[in-house]
């Protein structure tokens, strides 16, 4: 059974930025993997700390990453950001 993806308003804005700079294909590949099995490794994921504790991230490239949270009970993956979190 797959997972449903839910996007925050920030993630939707970030998707437009990714498309504009040509990174949307790579992001879509990661989203497809997350939808099927969010615990799959590779591509590697990392657990975030600090303000983003409890969330996970996967790199789109060296600068940009997808930040998400897995809600196991509802089989939902909540997407928070799909751009750099250094800004």
């Amino acid at each position: 059974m797959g997972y449903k993806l839910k996007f925050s308003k920030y993630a939707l804005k970030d998707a437009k930025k990714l498309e504009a700079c040509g990174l949307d294909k790579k992001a879509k590949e990661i989203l497809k993997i997350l939808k099927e099995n969010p615990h799959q490794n590779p591509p590697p994921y990392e657990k975030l700390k600090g303000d983003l504790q409890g969330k996970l991230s996967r790199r789109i490239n060296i600068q940009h990453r997808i930040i998400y949270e897995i809600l196991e009970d509802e089989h939902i993956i909540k997407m928070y950001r799909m751009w750099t979190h250094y800004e």
Side-chain angles (χ1 to χ4, degrees):
M1 182 174 164
Y3 286 74
K4 185 176 180 179
L5 301 178
K6 286 202 164 195
F7 297 87
S8 71
K9 66 179 181 178
Y10 297 111
L12 293 174
K13 284 183 182 180
D14 293 343
K16 291 177 184 174
K17 292 180 190 176
L18 288 173
E19 191 172 351
C21 69
L23 291 173
D24 57 323
K25 184 179 177 188
K26 175 76 173 169
K28 286 177 185 176
E29 289 172 15
I30 294 170
L31 292 176
K32 183 179 175 188
I33 290 168
L34 289 175
K35 198 171 184 179
E36 293 171 12
N37 179 6
H39 302 288
Q40 178 179 324
N41 198 2
Y45 62 89
E46 59 182 281
K47 295 179 181 180
L48 300 176
K49 300 174 185 169
D51 293 345
L52 298 172
Q53 188 168 359
K55 295 172 181 59
L56 304 163
S57 76
R58 293 191 191 234
R59 291 197 177 274
I60 299 169
N61 66 10
I62 195 74
Q63 182 182 8
H64 303 296
R65 59 173 76 189
I66 295 175
I67 298 173
Y68 62 97
E69 180 178 22
I70 303 169
L71 305 173
E72 290 288 353
D73 295 341
E74 299 113 37
H75 274 276
I76 292 175
I77 299 174
K78 188 167 183 184
M79 314 304 294
Y80 289 97
R81 297 302 307 251
M82 296 195 300
W83 196 247
T84 182
H85 73 287
Y86 298 112
E87 290 178 354

